[in-house]
């Protein structure tokens, strides 16, 4: 996987030609998709889910915790994109159907009424019949800026092979549970009363490099 080591700056994670071919394979007409990318190299694209991949769509902060857990203590992740305040974690086909059932079975239903269910924000699982918008695959395309100057659409872990490894529903379940527990520990460790608000901007939490050599 190609890893972006400077999410908050100008560095761009490139999708390799092999990775672009894999992305295009999700469409009904892969060649037409490639031609579209050549004509509009900086535009985000819409890809169908369910055949080449499913997507777990999480709020940005919770998705970041899931991603960190997958790389820090788990087997690594498949391709991951950030798009308009959400984190898109690519997963094995069938994950979108199976993951919600696993969360319910473990009484961690996403956004549920129980205390455990509320610990996991609503996760949007995109599978057969769904489509997602992802960043432009072209390595030389500049990232899409937001009005605030933040990068609104970019690859965090870019596909670089025609057959990237994708986590299944059990691994995504583990990542979600770990992220929920990590978020709970952070809340407990927050100072009370609230610390004074600094006039200086916080350090960029996006700037993290994932060591692909550690992938299991």
């Amino acid at each position: 996987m190609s890893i972006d080591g400077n999410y908050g700056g100008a560095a761009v994670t490139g999708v390799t030609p092999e990775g672009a071919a894999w992305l295009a394979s999700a469409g009904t007409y892969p060649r037409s998709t490639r031609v579209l990318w050549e004509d509009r190299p900086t535009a985000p694209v819409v890809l169908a889910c369910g055949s080449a991949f499913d997507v777990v769509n999480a709020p940005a902060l919770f998705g970041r915790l899931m991603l960190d857990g997958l790389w820090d203590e788990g087997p690594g992740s498949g391709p991951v994109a950030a798009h308009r305040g959400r984190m898109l974690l690519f997963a094995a086909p069938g994950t979108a159907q199976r993951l919600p059932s696993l969360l319910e079975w473990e009484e961690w239903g996403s956004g549920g009424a129980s205390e455990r269910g509320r610990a996991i924000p609503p996760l949007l699982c995109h599978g057969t019949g769904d489509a997602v918008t992802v960043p432009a695959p072209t390595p030389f395309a500049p990232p899409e800026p937001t009005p605030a100057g933040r990068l609104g659409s970019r690859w965090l872990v870019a596909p670089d092979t025609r057959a990237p490894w994708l986590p299944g529903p059990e691994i995504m379940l583990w990542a979600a549970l770990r992220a929920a527990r990590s978020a709970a520990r952070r809340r407990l460790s927050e100072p009370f009363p609230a610390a004074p608000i600094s006039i200086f901007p916080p350090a960029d939490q996006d700037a993290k490099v994932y060591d692909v050599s550690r992938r299991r």
Side-chain angles (χ1 to χ4, degrees), residues 15 22-23 37 42-49 53 55 79-83 88 90 131-137 144 152-155 159:
V15 177
W22 172 71
L23 289 172
W37 290 339
T42 64
V45 294
V46 177
L47 299 175
C49 302
F53 53 77
V55 170
V80 179
H83 184 69
L88 307 180
F90 284 66
V132 294
T133 302
V134 302
E144 173 192 355
S153 183
R154 76 257 190 217
W155 288 100

Side-chain angles (χ1 to χ4, degrees), residues 29-213:
Y29 305 103
R31 179 171 295 181
S32 298
T33 302
R34 297 294 297 273
V35 171
L36 173 63
W37 290 339
E38 291 175 2
D39 291 340
R40 302 181 60 194
T42 64
V45 294
V46 177
L47 299 175
C49 302
S51 58
F53 53 77
D54 283 359
V55 170
V56 177
N57 183 335
L61 292 180
F62 192 81
R64 170 66 63 184
L65 292 177
M66 291 180 64
L67 182 59
D68 287 347
L70 285 167
W71 284 103
D72 291 344
E73 299 182 21
S77 73
V80 179
H83 184 69
R84 297 183 179 178
R86 305 284 297 187
M87 193 82 75
L88 307 180
L89 297 100
F90 284 66
T95 299
Q97 180 180 6
R98 181 65 175 149
L99 180 58
S101 299
L102 291 176
L103 286 168
E104 292 293 342
W105 179 263
E106 295 287 341
E107 298 182 354
W108 286 86
S110 180
S114 68
E115 183 176 351
R116 296 182 76 183
R118 289 192 298 269
I120 296 180
L123 301 178
L124 306 178
C125 297
H126 305 292
T128 302
D130 299 324
V132 294
T133 302
V134 302
T138 305
F140 307 106
E144 173 192 355
T146 65
R150 296 286 295 168
L151 303 183
S153 183
R154 76 257 190 217
W155 288 100
L156 302 183
V157 183
D160 59 0
T161 175
R162 289 178 179 268
W165 178 82
L166 299 172
E170 292 81 8
I171 293 177
M172 298 305 290
L173 171 68
W174 174 88
L177 299 187
R178 185 189 183 283
R181 294 179 178 122
S182 178
R185 287 194 298 269
R186 290 190 178 192
R187 286 193 297 269
L188 291 175
S189 64
E190 289 179 352
F192 184 82
I197 299 175
S198 172
I199 63 174
F200 299 101
D204 187 356
Q205 296 181 354
D206 283 345
K208 177 162 184 174
V209 176
Y210 298 101
D211 183 4
V212 295
S213 67

